[in-house]
Amino acid sequence: MESGGGEWQQAFAGRADELRVLAHCRATAAAAEPWVVVVEGPAGIGKTALVRQALGTGADGLQVCWASCDRGERDFGYGVVGQLLRHLPRETPGLPELVRGLAGAGSPLAVGHDLLEVVTAAAETAPVALVVDDVPLADDQSLDALAFVGRQLLAERVLMVLTARMPYSGSEVSGTDEAEEWSRTWRGTERVRRLRLGGLDLKEVGDLVRSAGGPALSRAELSRLWEQTGGHPLYTQTLMRQVGARDLTDTARSLPVPASLEASIRQVLAELPGPARDLVWALAVLDTKTPPALAYRLADVDPAAALGPALASGLISREPHDPEARMGIHHQLQREVIYRALSPTNRRDLHRRAADLVGGDAAWAHRVAAAGPDAALADQLAAEADRHATAGRPARAATLRLWAADLSPTREQREQHLLTAATLLVVHERHGRFRTLHGALEACSPTPRRDALLGFLAGLRGDTATGVKLLARAAAGTDTETGMLAASWLAAVHILRGDGPQALAALRPVIDRLPPGHTGMALGMQSFAALFTDGPAAGLTVLSNAGLPDDAARVPHHDSFLLMFRGTLSVQAGLLRSSAADLTALISRQETHPQLSLSPTERYALGFAHYLDGSWEDALIAADQALAVSQISDHRHGVAPSHAVAAMVHAQRGQEDEARSHLDACRRHVPPFTELGAVYPAMAEAVLAQARGDRQAMARVLKPLDPTAGGNTGAWRVIWLPLLIQALTSSTPPAAPLHPDDLERLQTTLALFDGLAAQAPSLTPTAHWLRARVATARADTPTALAHYQDGHTAPREPDGDVPFHRAFLHYDHARLLLADPNARAAAVDHLQEAHRRFTALGAAPYAQRAAGFLADLTGTADTGGGTPDGWTVRTGASDRLTGLTGREQAVAHLVVQALTNQEIARQLLISSKTVEYHLGHVYSKLGVTGRRELRREFQELG
């Protein structure tokens, strides 16, 4: 090799299109339009180099926070977030508190929100880029927190860049389990660009040669080089280190280099002086950026003799701007080749010595790599895994168990450790990582535990039939512990199918014999099984066996998760304020106690509760939180109901485009849990038809729903039974008698709702409204009028009621009264009251219909002044707020409740900067100058 070859430096060339995209995203992010950019491509294709080139120095003063992911650190929560924070100025507001919070391992939502706040604060001085290199290797907690940040970016001066190693073919891999895991970091992001890198073209290869100090090559010379490397940047630069300019320009003979990148790396390694090669081998074994003193000790070399040649070879590099000057193998692909080049004996020896040098938890990986089959070490790993599991570190415990499996000398021992690791991941809801074990579990010998795990995995994927088959077989086996786990998992899969009786049948034989850590969850599932079988009251009766205090604040911390079950059942039973108290308390606890698993269920159930109690803005907030949790935690079953809540609120407000968008999303996300989710789009579409005043469309949509059905369809009767009765009846007597089948269905439906109302006095006004409509349909006007009157006088219960239905009591009563010429004044009074109530709710379509009806009665379109009859039609909030976006309405709603910007940001899962952004628009659109005027405006609007 000629002397010039070893002196060429790392170079960059090409990627003009990708650089333009990144430059555009950087510029718009600096102007408060944030972007997420995903750079994908095969190993060595130049992803990291591209990002470094694009985010280099510029006039915008971009602050680059860089995190490099490492497979060996995936078990340690928030490691990637911690790396990002180290690059921010120490004086950044909120930074010290967030760093301390990482040590306490807060919930991903709380950490994600605090990260967004800290980054937004840092971006006040200059825009911030969050770069995560090799994001598929990030720890789960960081992935969740980053997913939150990406989803909530709106008006922050932030650019997020993620790189991911993909197959060289550039094939789409989003369907694989690993891709599904990391892709959640950008799935819910509004502005995202995906860049897929392939090899450089001829011109770009020529530019790369020249930028590295090489000669200008002719087309023929470039073609030969390109055919050798395929335009692969790392291969090209490795080859350039092996040859001189004369070799590159001599086309009379083949390039004197090996035929593959791996062979080229091996040749570069072989040509290094002994001390430099020993240093490279030591760094390959350490497999992380390492303080120099540790690397020199492991390699047992003189730094003066080893470092220079190793750096010049391009095989190692040092961290730029790192005060410790840590070093490591330059590229992971090089590391893999170098590691394979080590003889087994040298590899084990280096790992053995590394274990002694690094110590602590990091030593385990080296001890494993230094060992062959070793039952004693496998036992030590299992004991260490148990210690981590007890301390609440299931991810680390699972890794240690998997290593124990690798070292076990017999198949039986190996599979025992593997199955234990998989069970840990299931029990602690690390479902993403659990999915990656599918192939290994399939290869295990047939046992009840294998069947149980594969059955649960099938259920997660929506293949509930296979899940039931495997779990039933496992539950019937002779392994008692596995049988109990399988029975509880079988019940869970039956619940996903909406099959309450089968879920109850699975739980009954084992619920009294489950270990203490599993009894509470089994009781919760039993309550849902009872719900799907006999309704919400039956579910609440089951849950009463837990002995929870009525006051959610007094529920012991270890029983907090039961608040999700009780709160959801209470919504479905019509106990609206009780449900909101339970669910709000649980959500508040989740923010500060990471051991409480996040789930969308408590959030979308809270959304339904707020929808019923008329707190529609709060319903939208809860639905948005549920969607965020669904997307970052991969709880797919929560997406459809979350969109249903949003669709229903937007429909009732007359925001048809938004409602239809959410309805479409609701429909798309029903599979694969069709039995569980089919009721949600039906409810949402029926409400959309209700808002249009289209009873025929309501009846058509609801026709497939059987009022007597169990499952999740029966669980949500409190919402859709009133819709069905309204669809089948009119507020005025029918021109012809109802068909007997329709009348029978009405009577059945009304009886079912009366059963709910008997257990929940808050539903009494609704029950009277529905009884009045049914009586009207039977042409029994006196009975109908009596029910309307009883509904008006029904007291407001401590658990609240459904104000939307209270408004309908007045509206439909007025319509019926108008059949009597002598009752016109009373009809006008009820129409006025209906209009007032609809307006206060923001139910624009209904308020407009009431106003139009009143105008028709008087022959005037006046909606603000008096009329000859002495009544007025008042405008309200719905008329003044129609110019606000949904998010602006949410911010204004919380400002009126006297929340600070920081409190609003945490409630809406956005940054304080975004709150300021929306609040500025609110002030401008409503013509107010501050919070006090805004509150006064809302008070005047009703």
Side-chain angles (χ1 to χ4, degrees), residues 569 573 625 934:
L569 290 164
Q625 290 182 352
L934 181 62

Side-chain angles (χ1 to χ4, degrees), residues 516-530:
H518 298 272
T519 53
M521 184 59 70
L523 186 64
M525 287 193 295
Q526 188 181 24
S527 71
F528 271 17

Side-chain angles (χ1 to χ4, degrees), residues 62-103:
L62 183 70
Q63 305 173 81
V64 180
C65 302
W66 194 287
S68 298
C69 302
D70 184 334
R71 191 177 299 276
E73 297 181 2
R74 291 183 75 178
D75 297 337
F76 303 101
Y78 298 117
V80 168
V81 171
Q83 287 189 60
L84 295 172
L85 296 179
R86 283 199 288 270
H87 296 275
L88 290 174
R90 292 183 180 179
E91 64 275 12
T92 303
L95 179 59
E97 294 81 2
L98 177 53
V99 172
R100 287 195 296 271
L102 295 185

